[in-house]
Amino acid sequence: MNRVQSTYSFRMGVLGAMAEARFAARIDALALKPKHVGLMLALETGGPAVQLDIARRLGVAPSLVVSLADHLEALSAIQRVRDQDDRRRQLLSITGEGRRLLGECAKLAAELDEELTEGLGEAEREALDGALRTLAARAGLPT
Amino acid sequence: MNRVQSTYSFRMGVLGAMAEARFAARIDALALKPKHVGLMLALETGGPAVQLDIARRLGVAPSLVVSLADHLEALSAIQRVRDQDDRRRQLLSITGEGRRLLGECAKLAAELDEELTEGLGEAEREALDGALRTLAARAGLPT
DNA sequence: TATTGTTATACTCTATAACTATA
DNA sequence: TATAGTTATAGAGTATAACAATA
């Protein structure tokens, strides 16, 4: 008989929520939430973009991008530049401070990785890494 | 240089949120949310329990257990029985209907697993399964 | 008229605090 | 007085809808 708790979906959902909660706790000191990191990451890897594009890439409502961008702009982590050819558009781009913050986040995430994968052997850890990389790429996450 | 997007924490968080959202969409037709499944699972694997214990095991507030249990009771998926030795306590236990619903959830989760791991080779899939099983056990998830 | 961004509003999820009943 | 459960209230996060500026 199949059991819910032995599916990839269930374990991934629960372990993923744990990982996100603990990552969120760590970046809280930087005044960031996971979604802010996602937005900065989209700009870093995809280059400057208008808000509606970001909303599509992140899979969130355009109105949410407004508040995320407001917050990041207040932190000087991104810039909003009005497009002179089409003045309705705001071009978002990451700043040096944004890159610095992403670096801090990377450090914290790497530390967290150590804790989270503590129970795994080296081979198991590499296998997990490989599988997650494949799935992330297939899901369209930034590489 | 370290990149956020190549950490286990980041990938796990994003992929886990995707998995949960898609699982939630599938069980919606059964009038269930992921937390309802978690509660039934706790009763199925741990046996009958009082509400405060469930709250601790699920890591949620006792008041949330009330509404989750109300809903599951209305579906006849669980039973609440007043403890005669200590009439403040309600003993929650899963019913036949609850087990049937868990079976449906398992079927839906297994189907979803197929979709989610579509891009993986057999070896990669098994490696992922092994690593997630280890991590789930270490995190105290039901086995 | 259509589109981009913004603001106003509402909904979902969940926690904290106040309350009821039992102990 | 302490504990189990419940109800009332509040906050975070996010979406939908109305709106303003520009095309």
Side-chain angles (χ1 to χ4, degrees):
Chain A
M1 187 180 104
N2 274 341
R3 297 207 190 79
V4 176
Q5 62 268 42
S6 58
T7 59
Y8 164 82
S9 307
F10 177 79
R11 286 185 179 136
M12 202 68 184
V14 177
L15 293 170
M18 283 185 182
E20 165 151 355
R22 293 178 66 171
F23 181 61
R26 285 175 182 246
I27 61 175
D28 191 63
L30 301 173
L32 295 173
K33 311 266 181 190
K35 286 248 152 67
H36 295 126
V37 178
L39 172 35
M40 286 192 288
L41 229 38
L43 294 180
E44 191 200 36
T45 63
V50 296
Q51 295 188 186
L52 281 182
D53 279 344
I54 294 295
R56 271 179 233 117
R57 274 202 249 170
L58 262 48
V60 301
S63 60
L64 180 56
V65 174
V66 174
S67 54
L68 294 174
D70 281 351
H71 182 74
L72 289 170
E73 198 179 25
L75 293 177
S76 306
I78 67 167
Q79 277 184 327
R80 265 186 177 116
V81 177
R82 188 66 70 178
D83 182 343
Q84 289 309 322
D85 293 346
D86 182 345
R87 295 184 43 73
R88 292 172 304 182
R89 301 185 170 197
Q90 310 253 40
L91 211 60
L92 304 185
S93 54
I94 193 157
T95 64
E97 172 63 6
R99 285 178 210 280
R100 190 190 66 78
L101 284 171
L102 277 181
E104 294 294 319
C105 291
K107 209 179 300 175
L108 293 171
E111 284 170 21
L112 182 55
D113 276 13
E114 286 302 312
E115 292 182 19
L116 292 176
T117 61
E118 214 171 31
L120 299 180
E122 192 50 43
E124 227 173 1
R125 201 180 300 215
E126 273 176 32
L128 176 62
D129 196 62
L132 289 184
R133 187 177 329 127
T134 301
L135 292 174
R138 210 184 55 111
L141 300 195
T143 307
Chain B
M1 185 181 107
N2 275 340
R3 297 208 188 78
V4 176
Q5 62 270 40
S6 58
T7 59
Y8 165 80
S9 307
F10 177 80
R11 285 184 180 140
M12 202 66 184
V14 178
L15 293 170
M18 280 185 183
E20 165 151 354
R22 292 177 66 169
F23 181 60
R26 284 175 182 246
I27 62 176
D28 190 64
L30 301 173
L32 294 173
K33 311 266 182 190
K35 286 248 153 63
H36 295 126
V37 178
L39 173 33
M40 288 192 286
L41 229 39
L43 294 180
E44 191 200 36
T45 63
V50 296
Q51 294 187 187
L52 282 182
D53 279 345
I54 293 295
R56 269 178 235 116
R57 274 201 252 171
L58 262 49
V60 300
S63 60
L64 181 56
V65 176
V66 174
S67 55
L68 294 174
D70 282 351
H71 183 74
L72 289 171
E73 199 179 23
L75 293 177
S76 304
I78 67 168
Q79 276 184 328
R80 263 186 178 117
V81 177
R82 187 66 71 175
D83 182 344
Q84 288 309 320
D85 294 345
D86 182 344
R87 294 184 43 72
R88 292 172 304 183
R89 299 186 172 198
Q90 309 252 41
L91 211 60
L92 304 186
S93 55
I94 194 158
T95 64
E97 172 63 6
R99 285 178 210 281
R100 188 189 69 76
L101 284 172
L102 276 182
E104 294 294 319
C105 291
K107 208 179 303 174
L108 293 171
E111 284 171 20
L112 182 55
D113 275 14
E114 287 301 313
E115 291 182 20
L116 292 176
T117 61
E118 215 171 30
L120 299 180
E122 192 51 42
E124 225 173 3
R125 200 181 302 216
E126 274 176 31
L128 176 62
D129 197 63
L132 289 183
R133 188 178 326 125
T134 302
L135 292 174
R138 207 182 59 109
L141 300 195
T143 310

